[in-house]
Amino acid sequence: MSDAPSPGAEALRNLYADWSAVMAGRPDLDIRLLRSLFDEWHQATAEPTDVTYADDVVGGVPGLWALPVGADRGRVVLFTHGGGFAVGSAASHRKLAGHLAKALGATAFVLDYRRAPEHPHPAQVDDGVAAFDGLLERGIAAADVVTAGDSAGGNLAIAIPLALRERGRPLPGAVVAFSPWLDMANTGKTLESNADTDALVTVPLLAGMIAGVLGDTGDGPAVHPATPLANPLHADLTGFPPVFVDAGGAEVLLDDAIRFTERARLAGVDATLSVVDGLQHVFPFAAGRGGEADAEIAAIAEWYRSRRAGVAA
């Protein structure tokens, strides 16, 4: 593979740069228009072939099924979209979830969980747990569920198993987190060192999202930034499922992925970290258009199959 980013990766970067320009030029952009802007996220992703979609409500939570032809209907990717807990949707992420599900030979249910600031933490986690329980009520085995997500949704993919463990519920069989945004205190080293290479995420943008999801009292957040279900970097990860974490080398949230993986390994968790140099936040969004994204999803599928084979053995 060439050291230069693929055209698909460059298209994703250009989309981010365009959003950044819009937000900089319109600091008064309201949440409705901001959500419309981020619903363009799917434009970076090619439509996966042989995948259909269907609306549904699982565990009381609305969402969208991605149904690859020939997929095992008994295995489900429970996908939580990114967008700072405030923007993004099942529609913006359906293609990415479809590519991932197809590679894993599973189906995917992409949640339209309640978003901040109208619904602060822990509404998003609670919706994920409810959807997980809803899958089990439909006869899906817990071990046959993968919680997956990107950015804030990567946070949720990790927080949902932690919440399930707190409630004495069975855990998913695996976790996949694309560029997870975990640190609600904004202490990562790459927030500064990668500030000039990340085309989208900035500390002020994160601060605004944090105020929305944790609740802004005027004197500080209503929910403490170190609360483990909001900030999994502070969670006890003992007994956590096998987890695959990735990130782009150019993004400011890289340190979140690194620190989480290190802490997971210290807790005895089977944790895999993949960092691809020069790439942007949630670079697998270029699936079907960028070789790096396609290679990453193929690597996740190989990892998933090896973990399932290990359990079966």
Side-chain angles (χ1 to χ4, degrees), residues 268-287:
V269 177
D270 175 2
T272 298
L273 174 65
S274 173
V275 177
V276 182
D277 291 343
L279 295 190
Q280 293 291 317
H281 186 53
V282 199
F283 70 87
F285 250 114

Side-chain angles (χ1 to χ4, degrees), residues 1-13 250 276-280 283 289-292:
M1 184 183 296
S2 168
D3 290 338
S6 69
E10 279 299 295
L12 179 65
R13 187 192 183 285
V276 182
D277 291 343
L279 295 190
Q280 293 291 317
F283 70 87
R289 301 188 192 279
E292 307 96 338

Side-chain angles (χ1 to χ4, degrees), residues 83-112:
F85 306 102
V87 300
S89 64
S92 67
H93 284 63
R94 66 174 181 83
K95 295 180 188 176
L96 176 57
H99 280 282
L100 179 62
K102 182 178 178 180
L104 270 54
T107 63
F109 187 64
V110 193
L111 295 185
D112 267 322

Side-chain angles (χ1 to χ4, degrees), residues 52-67 76-81 88-94 97 108-114 127-128 130-131 135 138:
T52 61
Y53 302 92
D55 292 317
D56 199 359
V57 177
V58 177
V61 184
L64 187 69
W65 283 101
L67 303 167
V76 178
V77 177
L78 184 61
F79 197 100
T80 42
H81 68 78
S89 64
S92 67
H93 284 63
R94 66 174 181 83
F109 187 64
V110 193
L111 295 185
D112 267 322
Y113 56 79
R114 288 172 292 170
D127 283 356
L135 292 174
R138 295 189 180 196

